[in-house]
Amino acid sequence: MDLDAELDRARDLDVSELADAIESIGFECTRCGACCKGYEGDDGPEPHTATVFPDEVRALQEAGGDDSKGESGTPMEWRDVARPMPYGLVEGDDGPEGETFEWALQTTACGDCRFYEGDDSGRGACQVHEDRPLICETYPFSVALGGTSQPMGEAVDEEGVVRAHECEGLGRDISRADAEELARALKERAVRELREARGVTDAYESVETGPGEVVVHDSEGAKRPDGTRVQ
């Protein structure tokens, strides 16, 4: 796959056309929390898994220190915000081990995003909404280009570039202004995903791991689960 060519495609995406696709199906967040919670998979409970870029982790470290889940004014620890993406890791005697690529938002013991807070009505909200990652800002939509994350979803436009994923908020009215705002974020996410993928490829060097050791490769190089660099 030519990541540079796909990155050029992402940069050439027309925000107006993306907005047309979003507007054609409609969307309004109902605060159901389904995209923030763990779920029941074929093999049992599965935790919420959402990709987060390294700079987004750092932004959440700062933002999380000012909400109810962190001590006010004190940045959160890296591992309190993000966890190694589980794909590629194996379960050893001392826990997960091996090499993996990228980070996922940290979860609670029940598998929900650690920044999600529900209420008695079954609805909820993100506690760091203004600093939420692009994958959260753009859900339930994604752009299907080579090198971007492409979970299963139904094509919204004729070209199949814009995908809509399962969400009870789909089919609701959306203003043109909101559709364009979402489209701009969707384009930014596609560009960022491809830049990150290229960065991971350029920075990757295999690291030998021992029992209970995990190494995460992102665009900044190899890191431990606490975010520190592997020397």
Side-chain angles (χ1 to χ4, degrees), residues 8 10 107 156 183 206 210 212 214 227:
D8 287 340
T107 55
V156 176
S206 181
V214 172

Side-chain angles (χ1 to χ4, degrees), residues 47-127:
H48 169 268
T49 304
T51 306
V52 58
F53 303 127
D55 63 321
E56 291 179 327
V57 176
R58 288 187 283 270
L60 288 169
Q61 283 182 276
E62 295 293 333
D66 292 322
D67 77 347
S68 61
K69 294 179 180 291
E71 184 178 345
S72 180
T74 303
M76 301 175 71
E77 297 293 329
W78 183 283
R79 64 172 68 247
D80 290 330
V81 173
R83 62 189 176 95
M85 191 65 74
Y87 312 124
L89 300 179
V90 297
E91 193 65 30
D93 293 337
D94 298 316
E97 57 189 48
E99 296 179 273
T100 188
F101 296 89
E102 298 297 348
W103 301 90
L105 284 173
Q106 186 58 273
T107 55
T108 62
C110 62
D112 298 346
C113 174
R114 63 104 61 230
F115 293 109
Y116 175 76
E117 195 166 277
D119 58 28
D120 294 338
S121 71
R123 302 290 167 178
C126 175
Q127 300 305 297

Side-chain angles (χ1 to χ4, degrees), residues 7-215:
L7 181 54
D8 287 340
R9 286 184 64 197
R11 288 171 173 155
D12 288 340
L13 288 171
D14 188 304
V15 169
S16 181
E17 292 180 1
L18 296 178
D20 288 344
I22 292 169
E23 197 173 17
S24 71
I25 188 171
F27 170 71
E28 180 185 16
C29 179
T30 64
R31 296 179 59 186
C32 69
C35 60
C36 306
K37 299 177 183 177
Y39 61 95
E40 194 66 29
D42 295 336
D43 299 320
E46 295 286 346
H48 169 268
T49 304
T51 306
V52 58
F53 303 127
D55 63 321
E56 291 179 327
V57 176
R58 288 187 283 270
L60 288 169
Q61 283 182 276
E62 295 293 333
D66 292 322
D67 77 347
S68 61
K69 294 179 180 291
E71 184 178 345
S72 180
T74 303
M76 301 175 71
E77 297 293 329
W78 183 283
R79 64 172 68 247
D80 290 330
V81 173
R83 62 189 176 95
M85 191 65 74
Y87 312 124
L89 300 179
V90 297
E91 193 65 30
D93 293 337
D94 298 316
E97 57 189 48
E99 296 179 273
T100 188
F101 296 89
E102 298 297 348
W103 301 90
L105 284 173
Q106 186 58 273
T107 55
T108 62
C110 62
D112 298 346
C113 174
R114 63 104 61 230
F115 293 109
Y116 175 76
E117 195 166 277
D119 58 28
D120 294 338
S121 71
R123 302 290 167 178
C126 175
Q127 300 305 297
V128 287
H129 188 266
E130 294 301 314
D131 296 278
R132 68 196 186 283
L134 281 166
I135 194 169
C136 303
E137 185 177 351
T138 54
Y139 193 86
F141 298 99
S142 67
V143 168
L145 296 178
T148 61
S149 61
Q150 299 178 52
M152 296 299 292
E154 296 294 329
V156 176
D157 57 340
E158 292 183 1
E159 294 77 18
V161 173
V162 180
R163 302 296 179 93
H165 310 283
E166 185 176 353
C167 177
E168 72 171 37
L170 288 172
R172 296 169 181 263
D173 290 339
I174 185 171
S175 69
R176 182 64 187 185
D178 287 344
E180 290 180 346
E181 182 178 357
L182 185 48
R184 282 189 290 271
L186 198 56
K187 177 177 179 176
E188 181 184 357
R189 174 184 162 192
V191 171
R192 288 291 310 279
E193 285 182 344
L194 283 158
R195 284 172 52 195
E196 182 72 12
R198 188 177 63 180
V200 171
T201 300
D202 292 343
Y204 177 74
E205 289 185 12
S206 181
V207 177
E208 185 175 346
T209 58
E213 291 185 333
V214 172
V215 170

Side-chain angles (χ1 to χ4, degrees), residues 215-231:
V215 170
V216 181
H217 297 277
D218 62 29
S219 60
E220 298 174 349
K223 295 176 183 169
R224 304 294 182 189
D226 63 0
T228 57
R229 301 289 183 89
V230 174
Q231 301 300 320

